[in-house]
Amino acid sequence: MPGGLFLQCFRKILESGKVAGADIAELNPSLDIDNRTAKLAAALVFEIVMAYSGEEAF
């Protein structure tokens, strides 16, 4: 997943400076196969924090 097309697009959106806020909601661990949703949520939060801190992710 890291470096995938979705995250590349998400980074471009964050770089646009047009994102005023973000909300990660509703994660049901019992329905989350192989923790896919949890990993995606963690990756999105990481990207948001890095974008607003002005640091390069990797």
Side-chain angles (χ1 to χ4, degrees), residues 20-58:
D23 183 26
I24 307 293
E26 302 219 17
L27 173 65
N28 185 343
S30 65
L31 299 176
D32 192 8
I33 300 168
D34 296 329
N35 293 320
R36 291 178 194 170
T37 307
K39 290 174 185 175
L40 175 60
L44 296 179
V45 170
F46 176 79
E47 293 294 336
I48 292 165
V49 169
M50 295 306 288
Y52 282 96
S53 71
E55 299 288 326
E56 288 289 324
F58 293 106

Side-chain angles (χ1 to χ4, degrees), residues 5-35:
L5 181 60
F6 177 82
L7 284 180
Q8 290 175 16
C9 292
F10 189 68
R11 288 178 187 130
K12 287 290 184 190
I13 292 167
L14 291 175
E15 290 170 6
S16 74
K18 296 181 179 183
V19 178
D23 183 26
I24 307 293
E26 302 219 17
L27 173 65
N28 185 343
S30 65
L31 299 176
D32 192 8
I33 300 168
D34 296 329
N35 293 320

